[in-house]
Amino acid sequence: MTAALTNYGNFEIELFEIKNEDCLKFTFEGKFTQEQAVSGTEEWRQLFEGVGNEKTTLVWDCARMTGFENNARIIWQKTMKGLKRKIKCVWLISNSKIIRTGANLMSKFVGFKIKAVKSEKEIAFC
């Protein structure tokens, strides 16, 4: 069952089901800003407070993302590092080499593999 949680203009967070697995999906469009990262990570933390020790699959749909501010990436990776024990796996949807490189860099800083795919259809179970 898909239910939109919050829309920040060109950034949306929603509960989503992919292949019968509940996920938290982040959909980005255009340039991802520091302001959006702050707002989005606050909601992300609040959502994870309510799941106890349960691990959640994250999907970052960056297919329509045109870029990101470096400070936005830093805020995002700090949040990911802090919530790492509650993350089952992370899927990144993007064809952009720049966005994939940013995710790869983030992955090294947080010590958590981000699995990059070109479409939602390629997502497999964690």
Side-chain angles (χ1 to χ4, degrees):
M1 183 182 313
T2 302
L5 295 177
T6 305
N7 189 312
Y8 295 100
N10 62 342
F11 166 58
E12 184 175 83
I13 301 173
E14 61 186 318
L15 295 175
F16 198 75
E17 188 177 288
I18 296 178
K19 298 182 181 176
N20 297 318
E21 184 171 341
D22 290 331
C23 305
L24 187 59
K25 184 178 180 184
F26 301 82
T27 304
F28 305 88
E29 190 168 332
K31 188 171 187 174
F32 184 54
T33 66
Q34 178 178 342
E35 182 180 325
Q36 292 168 329
V38 169
S39 299
T41 56
E42 286 174 15
E43 181 170 347
W44 185 4
R45 282 188 196 100
Q46 289 174 4
L47 289 167
F48 271 29
E49 283 177 11
V51 297
N53 291 329
E54 185 177 332
K55 292 191 174 207
T56 303
T57 297
L58 304 179
V59 176
W60 298 344
D61 186 347
C62 301
R64 294 186 314 262
M65 179 189 273
T66 58
F68 54 88
E69 294 176 355
N70 193 50
N71 285 339
R73 180 191 55 80
I74 291 168
I75 291 166
W76 207 253
Q77 79 187 30
K78 284 181 182 179
T79 301
M80 186 178 173
K81 190 170 187 171
L83 297 174
K84 183 177 168 179
R85 71 185 195 292
K86 293 189 177 194
I87 299 171
K88 187 174 184 179
C89 66
V90 179
W91 292 94
L92 170 80
I93 302 170
S94 180
N95 286 320
S96 168
K97 289 181 183 179
I98 293 170
I99 293 169
R100 285 174 174 246
T101 299
N104 189 33
L105 180 62
M106 186 184 311
S107 183
K108 290 179 190 217
F109 279 113
V110 298
F112 196 95
K113 179 148 175 62
I114 298 171
K115 301 172 184 181
V117 294
K118 293 181 180 179
S119 74
E120 190 176 298
K121 291 177 184 177
E122 295 178 58
I123 293 175
F125 291 102
C126 299

